[in-house]
């Protein structure tokens, strides 16, 4: 059992019973805080510092070459607890984009319903392609329910590019070409 | 021209009264601002700093400064109260419901009639007070009328026909009765010293100020000053005694059912009482417009002298208002029974004892010096 130490309370001195010394010291404290610097952030002009691991609005990111990273594996759609993600997988047109033909798939449509999203970050955690990230956008508003559904363009616009240097699919292609796939 | 001469004695007092009411109301609205600003500074915030008037607010540096200090905020607040939808709940007694805010504000504005705020020296070289009505019974009038202010609160609580305002109203009246006694008793020694037999001032506040030329009453009557100050906090319904509107347990207290300008009137009335209370305390205990203890009146006899005395008096009043606000954001609220026991069991006996003690001293003083 944890040891407890009983603090002895001294009886109040006659002066303390009038409460006047305590009131005076209280006044001193409040005067002290009055002299201190304000902690207010003038919000719309000043923005708060967002830490790196902040979980804001989920977004889709592109790789340094500006190419889509998502391969529409649908893991995020599956894991999302409130079913905020709805996506339609699509094929990459090999003729139009021979560079990325070997990736084979990319999302045709990708909607995240921000009225459902609970910002849990599971989509980011599950994504095998590091394509979806919860970034620093924290204020989100719209006039209608429809406006609150982020479609693919919006998600990429919010997400931007991620400066990672994996080049996973480039490496895979190079390996294939040099004859030692896998 | 003759007509004007005939009417001038009647017109002039009206003009003075209107001027004084306008200044007083201006002070009230700026006390609200002061409250918000001081409160936010104490809490490490900035307070209202966005309201900007079209032209004045866009003067290069000054405009930003005034906006940052929230100087234009009272105008915005007032306009907001004016243009809000006037809601009268269905369950109230309409007539008294409408009457209550007016009744709360009117006494505070009435008492300032006898409030001296400076002095001038007339043609015969006699110092006269600057006051709307220089009556001998100044203090009695103030005590009498300012306690009428509580009727507005009680009426509001009753006419609202809902339980929280009702409780607030009851508390306000009980508190007013309890502290009025101590307040009056704390004042008696002051006037016993200030209005010695044969002095021509009587119970006028001007006499109280003039009697403090060498020594402020606050210094040699500290107990009276303390009791009066505590009772003043209670009378003005300010924290730590804001039983009537204790937001934490009574929603809004007596003004729960009030909105828009009627609420605004209550709000202004509270600050009017605060200003009146501060002015009274300054007059009675802090030497009024006397410069410093020992150095009474360095202002001189000219117009400038009068203006300086007014300025010094207002400075003191502002410091007192600041003290009121500062106190409010320092202390937590008393419990209702604590308020009652403080009033009846501590302040009242203290005030009686103080009165008896001073009487004995005066008797001894009179016996041995005559
Ligand atoms: S953060 Fe959570 S709720 Fe929001 S989209 Fe991702 S998985 Fe769904
Ligand atoms: S975002 Fe990631 S998890 Fe979701 S479908 Fe695309 S690749 Fe799969």
């Amino acid at each position: 059992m944890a040891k407890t130490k009983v603090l002895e309370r001294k009886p109040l001195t006659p002066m303390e019973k009038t409460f006047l010394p305590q009131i005076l010291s209280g006044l001193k404290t409040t005067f002290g805080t009055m002299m201190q610097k304000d902690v207010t952030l003038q919000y719309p002009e000043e923005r708060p510092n967002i830490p790196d691991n902040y979980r804001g609005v989920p977004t889709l990111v592109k790789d340094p070459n500006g190419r889509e990273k998502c391969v529409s594996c649908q893991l995020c759609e599956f894991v999302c607890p409130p079913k905020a993600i709805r996506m339609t997988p699509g094929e990459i047109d090999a003729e139009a984009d021979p560079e990325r033909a070997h990736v084979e798939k990319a999302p045709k449509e990708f909607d995240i319903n921000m009225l459902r999203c609970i910002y849990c970050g599971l989509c980011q955690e599950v994504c095998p392609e590091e394509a979806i990230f919860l970034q620093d956008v924290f204020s989100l508003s719209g006039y209608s329910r429809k406006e609150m559904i982020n479609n693919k363009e919006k998600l990429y616009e919010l997400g931007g590019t991620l400066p990672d240097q994996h080049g996973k699919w480039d490496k895979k292609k190079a390996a294939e070409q040099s004859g030692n796939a896998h | 021209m003759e007509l004007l001469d005939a009417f001038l004695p009647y017109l002039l007092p009206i003009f003075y009264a209107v001027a004084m009411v306008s200044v007083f109301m201006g002070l009230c609205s700026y006390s609200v601002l002061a409250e918000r600003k001081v409160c936010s500074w104490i809490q490490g915030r900035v307070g209202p700093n966005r309201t900007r008037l079209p032209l004045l607010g866009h003067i290069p540096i000054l405009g930003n400064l005034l906006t940052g200090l929230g100087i234009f905020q009272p105008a915005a607040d007032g306009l907001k109260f004016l243009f809000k939808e006037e809601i009268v709940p269905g369950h109230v007694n309409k007539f008294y419901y409408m009457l209550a805010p007016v009744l709360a504000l009117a006494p505070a504005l009435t008492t300032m009639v006898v409030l001296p705020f400076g002095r001038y020296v007339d043609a015969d070289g006699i110092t006269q007070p600057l006051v709307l009505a220089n009556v001998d019974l100044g203090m009695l009038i103030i005590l009498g009328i300012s306690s009428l202010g509580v009727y507005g609160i009680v009426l509001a609580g009753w006419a609202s026909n809902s339980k929280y305002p009702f409780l607030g109203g009851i508390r306000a009246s009980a508190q007013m009765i309890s502290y009025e006694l101590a307040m009056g008793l704390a004042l008696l020694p002051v006037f016993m010293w200030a209005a010695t037999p044969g002095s021509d001032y009587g119970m006028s506040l001007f006499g109280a100020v003039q009697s403090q030329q060498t020594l402020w009453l606050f210094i040699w009557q500290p107990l009276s000053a303390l009791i009066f100050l505590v009772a003043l906090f209670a009378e003005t319904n300010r924290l730590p005694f804001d039983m009537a509107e204790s937001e934490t347990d009574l929603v809004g207290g007596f003004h729960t059912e009030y909105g828009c300008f009627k609420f605004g009137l209550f709000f202004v009335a509270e600050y009017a009482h605060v200003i009146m209370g501060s002015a009274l305390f300054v007059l009675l205990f802090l030497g009024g417009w006397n410069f410093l203890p020992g150095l009474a009146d360095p202002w001189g006899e000219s117009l400038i002298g009068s203006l300086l005395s007014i300025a010094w008096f207002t400075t003191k009043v502002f410091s007192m208002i600041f003290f009121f606000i500062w106190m409010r954001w320092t202390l937590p609220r008393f419990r209702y029974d604590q308020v009652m026991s403080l009033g009846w069991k501590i302040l009242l006996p203290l005030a009686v004892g103080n009165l008896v003690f001073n009487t004995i001293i005066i008797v001894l003083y009179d016996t041995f010096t005559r």
Side-chain angles (χ1 to χ4, degrees):
Chain A
M1 208 180 89
K3 264 190 192 166
T4 52
K5 192 179 165 201
V6 180
L7 287 179
E8 225 159 271
R9 287 211 180 188
K10 288 197 202 103
L12 297 178
T13 61
M15 196 58 196
E16 279 169 350
K17 275 188 188 151
T18 63
F19 294 122
L20 292 181
Q22 287 91 332
I23 291 178
L24 284 186
S25 73
L27 286 176
K28 213 176 94 197
T29 310
T30 41
F31 197 78
T33 52
M34 211 180 316
M35 295 296 127
Q36 277 164 17
K37 213 173 150 292
D38 297 331
V39 292
T40 307
L41 195 74
Q42 300 283 337
Y43 170 60
E45 293 95 31
E46 292 169 27
R47 292 284 169 158
N49 277 330
I50 304 287
D52 279 344
N53 51 357
Y54 185 82
R55 294 211 304 255
V57 172
T59 58
L60 289 177
V61 294
K62 294 185 173 171
D63 74 358
N65 300 328
R67 295 186 290 224
E68 270 184 282
K69 293 182 86 176
C70 175
V71 294
S72 65
C73 69
Q74 288 181 291
L75 276 178
C76 54
E77 183 179 18
F78 182 73
V79 81
C80 177
K83 302 207 181 308
I85 302 179
R86 277 275 172 279
M87 63 185 304
T88 317
E91 305 254 326
I92 290 177
D93 191 352
E95 318 273 273
D97 199 358
E99 267 292 288
R100 277 171 69 233
H102 64 300
V103 183
E104 291 175 11
K105 287 178 90 183
K108 201 153 101 203
E109 268 160 43
F110 200 118
D111 293 332
I112 303 187
N113 186 345
M114 290 319 294
L115 294 172
R116 296 195 72 105
C117 174
I118 55 171
Y119 301 88
C120 61
L122 287 185
C123 48
Q124 171 178 345
E125 199 165 310
V126 82
C127 179
E129 298 292 326
E130 299 187 353
I132 187 163
F133 277 91
L134 275 70
Q135 295 193 44
D136 58 355
V137 183
F138 56 86
S139 79
L140 190 73
S141 56
Y143 288 105
S144 62
R145 280 162 194 276
K146 214 168 164 201
E147 238 174 275
M148 294 303 285
I149 299 176
N150 287 341
N151 61 12
K152 199 170 130 183
E153 281 83 63
K154 184 83 189 291
L155 288 170
Y156 275 119
E157 185 195 315
L158 286 172
T161 2
L162 198 75
D164 73 38
Q165 301 299 335
H166 305 316
K168 174 177 167 184
W169 290 99
D170 292 342
K171 279 184 194 153
K172 188 164 181 193
K173 193 173 194 181
E176 245 165 33
Q177 276 163 3
S178 62
N180 57 347
H182 307 298
Chain B
M1 209 56 222
E2 254 170 38
L3 201 66
L4 191 67
D5 278 345
F7 277 114
L8 206 57
Y10 303 103
L11 284 181
L12 220 51
I14 295 179
F15 170 73
Y16 286 146
V18 168
M20 186 140 174
V21 169
S22 346
V23 171
F24 197 74
M25 292 302 263
L27 281 185
C28 284
S29 50
Y30 276 94
S31 319
V32 178
L33 175 70
E35 171 106 79
R36 293 177 65 180
K37 271 296 190 189
V38 171
C39 141
S40 57
W41 289 332
I42 284 180
Q43 295 170 349
R45 302 185 280 113
V46 271
N49 65 344
R50 298 282 165 120
T51 320
R52 196 186 282 274
L53 281 190
L55 282 177
L56 222 53
H58 290 106
I59 304 169
I61 293 166
L62 189 71
N64 279 340
L65 193 72
L66 293 183
T67 310
L69 281 175
I71 297 295
F72 309 123
Q73 187 67 29
D77 286 349
L79 279 181
K80 187 194 92 175
F81 278 139
L82 265 184
F83 288 122
K84 269 178 118 168
E85 187 188 353
E86 194 95 9
I87 295 174
V88 179
H91 53 72
V92 301
N93 183 326
K94 293 242 165 45
F95 179 68
Y96 292 119
Y97 177 82
M98 299 287 189
L99 189 64
V102 182
L103 268 193
L105 181 61
L109 293 185
T110 315
T111 45
M112 79 189 184
V113 170
V114 292
L115 189 87
F117 49 88
R119 65 107 188 89
Y120 69 99
V121 181
D122 67 5
D124 304 331
I126 303 169
T127 311
Q128 298 279 10
L130 282 168
V131 59
L132 283 183
N134 186 18
V135 286
D136 277 353
L137 292 174
M139 191 59 224
L140 277 189
I141 290 185
I142 289 188
L143 280 183
I145 294 183
S146 70
S147 24
L148 291 182
V150 79
Y151 281 98
I153 293 177
V154 174
L155 204 60
W158 180 79
S160 295
N161 189 15
S162 109
K163 54 192 165 195
Y164 293 122
F166 181 65
L167 282 175
I170 288 184
R171 286 183 180 189
S173 53
Q175 183 179 325
M176 180 64 84
I177 293 169
S178 321
Y179 283 81
E180 193 84 335
L181 278 173
M183 188 183 217
L185 285 176
L187 280 181
L188 276 182
V190 171
F191 284 96
M192 274 159 48
W193 283 105
T196 47
S199 86
D200 21 302
Y201 295 127
M203 288 277 278
S204 84
L205 288 164
F206 179 59
V209 174
Q210 291 304 86
S211 76
Q212 298 181 56
Q213 283 189 336
T214 40
L215 205 52
W216 293 359
L217 272 166
F218 164 67
I219 297 168
W220 63 284
Q221 293 280 337
L223 194 58
S224 300
L226 187 68
I227 298 172
F228 184 74
L229 189 64
V230 175
L232 206 58
F233 270 94
E235 296 273 294
T236 48
N237 275 325
R238 292 282 298 178
L239 232 110
F241 293 100
D242 67 337
M243 286 299 119
E245 50 173 296
S246 38
E247 293 91 350
T248 36
D249 44 336
L250 293 187
V251 190
F254 61 93
H255 59 59
T256 307
E257 307 284 348
Y258 283 85
C260 56
F261 211 70
K262 293 195 286 303
F263 169 74
L265 280 187
F266 274 127
F267 207 56
V268 171
E270 179 181 338
Y271 287 93
H273 277 119
V274 169
I275 297 176
M276 275 306 297
S278 311
L280 214 53
F281 191 80
V282 169
L283 286 175
L284 289 172
F285 292 101
L286 293 182
W289 47 87
N290 291 327
F291 184 52
L292 286 173
L295 178 62
D297 216 351
W299 313 124
E301 302 195 348
S302 57
L303 182 67
I304 307 275
S306 310
L307 289 181
L308 277 177
S309 77
I310 296 179
W312 187 237
F313 176 66
T314 23
T315 315
K316 281 186 189 173
V317 173
F318 289 160
S319 329
M320 247 345 256
I321 295 174
F322 171 75
F323 180 71
F324 263 80
I325 298 172
W326 182 17
M327 206 60 158
R328 169 169 182 182
W329 298 104
T330 302
L331 294 184
R333 174 185 302 119
F334 284 116
R335 224 169 44 215
Y336 181 56
D337 61 315
Q338 289 171 331
V339 170
M340 285 297 122
S341 74
L342 177 69
W344 290 103
K345 291 191 192 156
I346 300 174
L347 284 189
L348 189 61
L350 260 185
V352 174
N354 185 35
L355 177 64
V356 173
F357 176 72
N358 274 293
T359 320
I360 294 175
I361 298 275
I362 289 179
V363 169
L364 289 181
Y365 179 80
D366 279 359
T367 336
F368 289 112
T369 51
R370 290 233 175 109

